[in-house]
Amino acid sequence: MTKRPWYADGLRFTCTGCGDCCTGDPGAVWVNDEEIAALAEHLELSPKDFERRYVRRLARGRSLFERFNGDCVFFDPESRGCQVYEARPVQCRTWPFWDENLESEDAWCEAEGSCPGAGEGELVSLDRIRAQLRVHRAARKKD
Ligand code: SF4
């Protein structure tokens, strides 16, 4: 039988749209071939052109470019919104339900510290959290 995780009763999350996760300290937004294809289609570019313009290679895989201040290349500072929201990568879709944030209550508290939406708002059920975890893991296996 699968052990019930510490978040078995669900976790609260509603994005406030603050944009903090798209800006600030340097980071990586990992993208695999499928995510690149979806973003390229959204911008009416070929995957090759998209990759040349917006993707950098890091030791662990490919990531979207950041601006000099750490903002994601697709973050619009005026609206504080994502310019490719409909085609955003899995990493952005599944936050904060990543393995590293759910490995312990302390890890979740840390996520809450960096994201005003984590721990607040809608109660997300265990089934939905698990579904998000599966999607996130599957995407990262294709990096
Ligand atoms: S930091 Fe959290 S609340 Fe703010 S935009 Fe990102 S996911 Fe939404």
Side-chain angles (χ1 to χ4, degrees):
M1 206 168 68
T2 323
K3 198 176 146 231
R4 273 172 73 78
W6 67 266
Y7 48 87
D9 293 334
L11 289 169
R12 292 198 178 274
F13 173 64
T14 297
C15 177
T16 66
C18 70
D20 286 1
C21 56
C22 323
T23 58
D25 290 342
V29 180
W30 305 113
V31 282
N32 61 33
D33 285 338
E34 279 169 29
E35 291 167 305
I36 288 170
L39 286 158
E41 190 182 344
H42 185 72
L43 296 177
E44 299 182 359
L45 291 171
S46 72
K48 223 176 209 163
D49 280 346
F50 179 88
E51 208 166 338
R52 206 165 26 230
R53 285 164 69 161
Y54 297 116
V55 176
R56 60 199 163 128
R57 285 192 179 268
L58 301 176
R60 182 191 168 293
R62 290 168 294 174
S63 169
L64 297 180
F65 274 125
E66 287 181 335
R67 299 207 180 89
F68 68 94
N69 59 359
D71 291 3
C72 174
V73 68
F74 292 119
F75 179 73
D76 175 3
E78 271 180 30
S79 65
R80 291 199 67 75
C82 174
Q83 293 170 317
V84 292
Y85 189 80
E86 296 78 15
R88 67 199 186 284
V90 166
Q91 174 174 331
C92 312
R93 288 175 190 277
T94 57
W95 170 266
F97 302 115
W98 301 349
D99 281 306
E100 53 265 54
N101 292 335
L102 298 179
E103 68 187 13
S104 66
E105 289 184 64
D106 283 350
W108 178 253
C109 279
E110 216 170 293
E112 286 179 343
S114 68
C115 167
E120 302 289 335
E122 185 192 351
L123 182 64
V124 182
S125 70
L126 178 59
D127 282 353
R128 282 179 57 206
I129 293 170
R130 282 184 164 149
Q132 297 279 62
L133 283 169
R134 278 195 297 273
V135 170
H136 186 244
R137 282 178 201 147
R140 298 293 57 91
K141 272 190 193 150
K142 295 178 191 166
D143 282 341

